[in-house]
Amino acid sequence: MCAVMSPSWQNPGPARRAVILTRVRTPAATIGVIGGGQLARMMHAASIGLGLRLRLLAEGPDVSAAQVVHDVAVGDYTDPATVAGFAAGCDVVTFDHEHVPTAILHDLVDAGVAVRPGPEALVHAQDKAVMRARLAALGVPCPRNRVVAGPDDLVAVAEELGWPVIAKTSRGGYDGKGVWKLDGPEQAGIPFEGLRADAVIIAEEFIDFTRELSVLVVRRPGGQAVAYPVSETEQRDGICVATVTPAPGLRPDEVRDLQAMGLR
């Protein structure tokens, strides 16, 4: 909705001049958000000032975002028919999390649905093996790592990298789940217990890092990209409990380099 200002001189005297505000209603875009967690809840707050409508596909009626968003559908985000039916009522579809199966996202794109980010981008958040390969191709420094076929392969890689070693499932891990710090060969079988069919295990060298920094990057379909200020995250038991933005103690050249890395 916008306001159009039009002068009215019902009385030609300048003292009687008035400005009439005419309300012109334009349809608000409907953004479909898959997943009802904290990020979706924050999207709802931001959408109000932007005049956008949010439609939510939630895992349950009482999840975080479902408590505040008006238009809520409850359903299984891994079911193709459920996701397709939800997307039919949206101008664009985005996500609270990265766990929607990649094949479903490709089906949406093939059906003409605007998916942001698209499956070619989101797969790098869905699959750590794909992400590691892409970062290496871009020349971004990473811990030494390798996909391992089984416990014996993991032990061989760990002997090369040095114990302790970090093992990660390529798909499905979050909030400390699917990540193991292994101190010796006797623990090498743990990551493979209950491993999902579409995932692999990545072994990577243990890095005793000082702090974790992140850069949020956005890109328009036309290619214009922007990097937001660098943030520092506080992790407890593998879960992010707080962020500080901008991250303290960084020189301007460090900020520039980190943002440039995010924009690669």
Side-chain angles (χ1 to χ4, degrees), residues 5-168:
M5 298 177 61
S6 59
S8 172
W9 291 277
Q10 295 178 353
N11 185 320
R16 295 297 301 240
R17 288 182 181 177
V19 174
I20 298 175
L21 296 180
T22 303
R23 293 183 178 271
V24 179
R25 293 189 176 274
T26 56
T30 297
I31 300 176
V33 181
I34 299 179
Q38 297 178 46
L39 295 180
R41 185 168 179 141
M42 288 188 281
M43 288 185 212
H44 168 71
S47 71
I48 296 172
L50 295 171
L52 301 171
R53 296 181 64 246
L54 250 60
R55 188 164 189 254
L56 184 69
L57 179 60
E59 301 84 347
D62 298 320
V63 296
S64 180
Q67 299 173 25
V68 296
V69 176
H70 173 70
D71 188 357
V72 179
V74 175
D76 180 4
Y77 60 79
T78 67
D79 176 61
T82 298
V83 175
F86 170 77
C90 306
D91 295 302
V92 62
V93 172
T94 190
F95 312 95
D96 169 79
H97 56 70
E98 70 275 16
H99 302 301
V100 182
T102 310
I104 293 180
L105 303 183
H106 279 290
D107 289 343
L108 292 181
V109 172
D110 291 343
V113 177
V115 179
R116 304 288 186 269
E120 293 83 1
L122 195 65
V123 69
H124 295 89
Q126 294 174 321
D127 192 308
K128 292 183 178 66
V130 174
M131 176 194 70
R132 286 295 191 209
R134 179 61 175 165
L135 291 175
L138 292 172
V140 175
C142 295
R144 292 177 297 161
N145 64 91
R146 195 174 305 164
V147 173
V148 290
D152 292 341
D153 194 16
L154 192 156
V155 170
V157 171
E159 294 291 344
E160 176 186 333
L161 299 178
W163 299 94
V165 71
I166 299 297
K168 299 178 178 179

Side-chain angles (χ1 to χ4, degrees), residues 207-221:
I207 302 293
D208 189 15
F209 60 86
T210 303
R211 60 176 178 166
E212 181 172 291
L213 303 176
S214 62
V215 177
L216 178 65
V217 175
V218 295
R219 182 173 63 86
R220 286 179 172 172

